[in-house]
Amino acid sequence: MREAYQSDLRHLVDDLVDMASMVETALKDATAALLESDLALAERVIAADQHIDQRQLDLDEKIVELLARQSPVATDLRLLVASLRMSSSLERMGDLCEHVALVARRSHPDSAVPEQHRAQIAKMAELGGTAIREAATVIAERDLALAAQVEKNDDQIDELLLEISREISRGEGYSNSEVIDLTLLIRFYERLGDHAVSLVRRVGFLVTGDSLDTLSSKTDVEEF
Amino acid sequence: MREAYQSDLRHLVDDLVDMASMVETALKDATAALLESDLALAERVIAADQHIDQRQLDLDEKIVELLARQSPVATDLRLLVASLRMSSSLERMGDLCEHVALVARRSHPDSAVPEQHRAQIAKMAELGGTAIREAATVIAERDLALAAQVEKNDDQIDELLLEISREISRGEGYSNSEVIDLTLLIRFYERLGDHAVSLVRRVGFLVTGDSLDTLSSKTDVEEF
């Protein structure tokens, strides 16, 4: 019985890592759909989000079952509660990828991203992808040195958001629709980075046992 | 012992209702700060958000303690898990109010909201305030008829978002900064409404015991 329980706990971690991998794929595909105006790919990302949602529901049911059957305390209880929160973050990250794909679909056959911002958006997405991959490794291996790297990545994402936002504010030749879409897009990428930070902070909490204070959610960029 | 435990569970509900009331105040004040370019009020909302954050941390600690001490099952366990999720939603709603205040502060002494959109933004905020108040009543009294009303309110918020967004897209005379700020603002109000819907859906889940499927988070407006 006890052995099965330990195996269940390990599976939880595997499930979280799997969800992160689904999100990473969604982000990569959504960004490709956006930058290459690929309607079919956008549709695939939009359709695939329900699989991420389903994974969260399955995971949550497992967690509630484990709480009910095993009455965990101490470290195990903290792992279960943290897993509930992490599955929420991952589900929301999936939604954000879907939103990028929705902007791509709405703009098709044009691209929502004007030429001069393509490299910046591609960079935001690349940093986001790295953050998700690293967050998954942090979850799997509890590597807190890598957690610091995720925070740094996120700072770079925030800087790109501010850079793009400033360029739009001062720039000319944008249609209002373009400004709306770009504003939403850079916010989606920024929130993805924030959630990656939240994920690794939760792992930090599990490893160090620090107070819940460290668990407050990563705040958005203030200036935006 | 058992009696103390039941009293603890009731207190959880009170705490959630209190948090909702703090969010309602934050929303009202943030919107007033925005529409009346009231810098001091904006600063107060920004400073007050840490109290909402702290309430969430306190509530989460209580919940983890109850899970550890009481090993709840069935209805009680579901209430505790739902409370964890509801406290997250409320904390995030507080952040969104803070974001509105941050836009107000950044725009001061001007208003971020052009004259022609003031009534619409005021209406979005009013609907959001009603949704939070009604969600609190749903949490306190498990009134599922009122839950339906929250969903209707949210539909109206979504409609206003799309209306404003269309008007900006087709309109002229906006600066790019104005479009950025308005885009963010209407998204903040929309997300507030979404979280209110998530809150009442969680209560619905507690009352009816439906599958976790009904718990999937309220999705954003697709067209935006």
Side-chain angles (χ1 to χ4, degrees):
Chain A
M1 254 317 256
R2 213 60 201 167
E3 203 173 306
Y5 169 52
Q6 287 306 328
S7 150
D8 284 342
L9 289 182
R10 274 195 304 276
H11 279 143
L12 275 192
V13 172
D14 294 342
D15 283 339
L16 289 168
V17 170
D18 273 1
M19 274 186 85
S21 156
M22 291 166 87
V23 171
E24 193 194 336
T25 302
L27 176 62
K28 196 167 159 275
D29 288 349
T31 305
L34 179 74
L35 294 177
E36 293 153 31
S37 305
D38 185 335
L39 184 60
L41 189 56
E43 296 284 8
R44 278 209 295 284
V45 175
I46 294 161
D49 186 55
Q50 61 183 300
H51 300 302
I52 299 178
D53 293 350
Q54 191 55 51
R55 285 301 285 267
Q56 189 209 356
L57 296 172
D58 294 346
L59 192 53
D60 284 2
E61 271 182 37
K62 272 194 212 173
I63 294 170
V64 172
E65 251 185 64
L66 282 169
L67 285 169
R69 273 195 292 119
Q70 304 288 349
S71 306
V73 292
T75 314
D76 289 352
L77 175 56
R78 287 194 303 158
L79 172 63
L80 291 174
V81 170
S83 298
L84 274 176
R85 286 278 158 80
M86 289 195 270
S87 78
S88 279
S89 270
L90 287 163
E91 188 269 336
R92 184 68 197 147
M93 290 165 96
D95 286 349
L96 291 164
C97 297
E98 185 190 2
H99 292 342
V100 170
L102 287 164
V103 173
R105 182 170 77 179
R106 189 173 63 208
S107 313
H108 182 83
D110 298 322
S111 171
V113 182
E115 195 56 40
Q116 71 268 35
H117 295 299
R118 289 176 63 88
Q120 290 162 315
I121 292 285
K123 184 71 189 167
M124 282 186 100
E126 189 199 314
L127 287 164
T130 304
I132 297 166
R133 206 161 44 245
E134 289 176 346
T137 306
V138 172
I139 293 170
E141 298 171 15
R142 305 204 168 187
D143 176 347
L144 292 196
L146 197 55
Q149 186 56 44
V150 173
E151 303 248 5
K152 263 194 209 161
N153 268 351
D154 186 55
D155 290 343
Q156 280 186 270
I157 295 176
D158 290 353
E159 277 166 34
L160 277 162
L161 169 125
L162 293 175
E163 180 183 299
I164 297 173
S165 159
R166 272 194 305 267
E167 288 175 10
I168 300 170
S169 288
R170 296 174 191 161
E172 280 176 17
Y174 297 88
S175 72
N176 290 345
S177 296
E178 276 176 331
V179 177
I180 291 175
D181 283 342
L182 276 170
T183 302
L184 292 173
L185 285 169
I186 59 180
R187 187 159 174 86
F188 297 151
Y189 288 111
E190 185 233 335
R191 293 297 299 153
L192 271 161
D194 289 346
H195 280 289
V197 169
S198 294
L199 289 174
V200 301
R201 286 190 186 167
R202 284 185 199 290
V203 176
F205 163 70
L206 286 175
V207 174
T208 63
D210 278 349
S211 94
L212 277 167
D213 286 0
T214 57
L215 271 191
S216 59
S217 57
K218 164 77 173 67
T219 33
D220 317 45
V221 184
E222 275 214 0
E223 303 84 343
F224 184 64
Chain B
M1 252 319 256
R2 213 59 201 166
E3 205 172 304
Y5 169 52
Q6 288 305 325
S7 152
D8 284 342
L9 289 181
R10 273 194 305 276
H11 279 142
L12 276 192
V13 171
D14 293 342
D15 284 339
L16 289 168
V17 170
D18 273 0
M19 274 185 84
S21 157
M22 291 166 87
V23 171
E24 193 194 337
T25 302
L27 176 63
K28 196 166 159 274
D29 289 348
T31 305
L34 179 74
L35 294 177
E36 292 152 31
S37 306
D38 185 336
L39 185 59
L41 190 55
E43 296 284 7
R44 278 209 295 284
V45 174
I46 294 161
D49 186 55
Q50 60 183 300
H51 301 302
I52 299 179
D53 293 351
Q54 191 56 51
R55 286 301 285 266
Q56 190 210 356
L57 295 173
D58 294 346
L59 192 53
D60 284 2
E61 270 180 36
K62 272 194 212 173
I63 294 170
V64 172
E65 249 184 66
L66 283 170
L67 285 169
R69 274 196 293 120
Q70 303 288 348
S71 306
V73 293
T75 313
D76 289 351
L77 175 57
R78 286 194 304 157
L79 172 63
L80 291 174
V81 170
S83 298
L84 273 177
R85 286 278 155 81
M86 289 195 271
S87 78
S88 278
S89 271
L90 287 163
E91 187 269 335
R92 183 71 196 147
M93 290 165 96
D95 286 349
L96 291 164
C97 296
E98 186 191 2
H99 292 342
V100 170
L102 286 166
V103 173
R105 181 170 77 177
R106 190 173 60 209
S107 313
H108 183 81
D110 298 323
S111 171
V113 181
E115 195 55 39
Q116 71 268 34
H117 295 300
R118 289 176 62 86
Q120 291 163 316
I121 293 286
K123 185 71 190 167
M124 283 186 97
E126 189 199 316
L127 287 163
T130 305
I132 297 166
R133 207 161 42 248
E134 289 176 347
T137 306
V138 172
I139 292 169
E141 298 172 14
R142 304 205 169 187
D143 176 347
L144 293 195
L146 196 55
Q149 185 57 43
V150 174
E151 303 248 3
K152 262 193 209 161
N153 268 350
D154 186 56
D155 290 343
Q156 280 185 270
I157 295 176
D158 290 353
E159 276 166 34
L160 277 162
L161 169 124
L162 293 175
E163 181 183 298
I164 297 173
S165 159
R166 271 194 307 266
E167 288 175 11
I168 300 171
S169 290
R170 294 174 191 159
E172 280 174 19
Y174 298 88
S175 72
N176 289 346
S177 296
E178 276 176 331
V179 177
I180 291 175
D181 283 342
L182 277 170
T183 302
L184 291 173
L185 285 169
I186 59 180
R187 186 157 177 88
F188 297 150
Y189 288 111
E190 184 233 334
R191 292 297 300 154
L192 272 160
D194 290 346
H195 280 289
V197 169
S198 294
L199 289 174
V200 301
R201 287 191 185 166
R202 283 184 200 289
V203 176
F205 162 71
L206 286 174
V207 174
T208 63
D210 278 350
S211 93
L212 277 166
D213 285 0
T214 55
L215 271 192
S216 59
S217 58
K218 164 77 173 66
T219 32
D220 317 44
V221 183
E222 276 215 1
E223 302 84 342
F224 184 61

